[in-house]
Amino acid sequence: MTEFNTNKLNNTNFQGKISRAASKAPKEIKTMEEHIKKMVQDILARAEREVPEYGDFAPVYEEFKNPLRELCATDFMLKITKPPKHIENHEKKRYLEVIAYKLPTPIKSTQIIAVGEKEDILSKLKDKETLEKINKVVRELSENLNDV
């Protein structure tokens, strides 16, 4: 019969310290401004890779859950899309949209904040004033959802 050493079954070396992996875990984003800044950084990186200068492409978007209880919207999204084919110069034009959702009901409110070619949209995303504008727009869109 095999004998087990019951004294060392749970041999952990805990000395009251946090492991290196846990200490390097990313901080949780808490404020609306931090969410918007991260969303703009993420969509900028994706847009440089995924949005072509000319022609069709799949919409590129980033989103986050609403951290503020006083706003009606549950989710916010920043999206780059191509305009419909009946729009003049539609092959090169791009839209930068801010969208607010009120889930679980399928209600959304949308506002286009920039129109232009790929370089115009990228420069708009790099502009510091865009963060302030998006912050203002998400609050307006949430108020629109509250009226529905």
Side-chain angles (χ1 to χ4, degrees), residues 131-148:
L131 295 174
E132 295 167 15
K133 182 168 185 166
I134 292 171
N135 195 1
K136 180 182 168 197
V137 169
V138 296
R139 292 171 192 278
E140 291 171 3
L141 294 175
S142 184
E143 288 177 22
N144 292 347
L145 291 173
N146 203 16
D147 295 339
V148 175

Side-chain angles (χ1 to χ4, degrees), residues 51-56 89 91-92 94:
V51 176
E53 295 282 338
Y54 184 86
D56 292 334
N89 196 17
E91 290 294 326
K92 287 187 171 186
R94 307 292 181 243

Side-chain angles (χ1 to χ4, degrees), residues 6 42 63 84:
T6 56
D42 292 347
E63 60 187 329

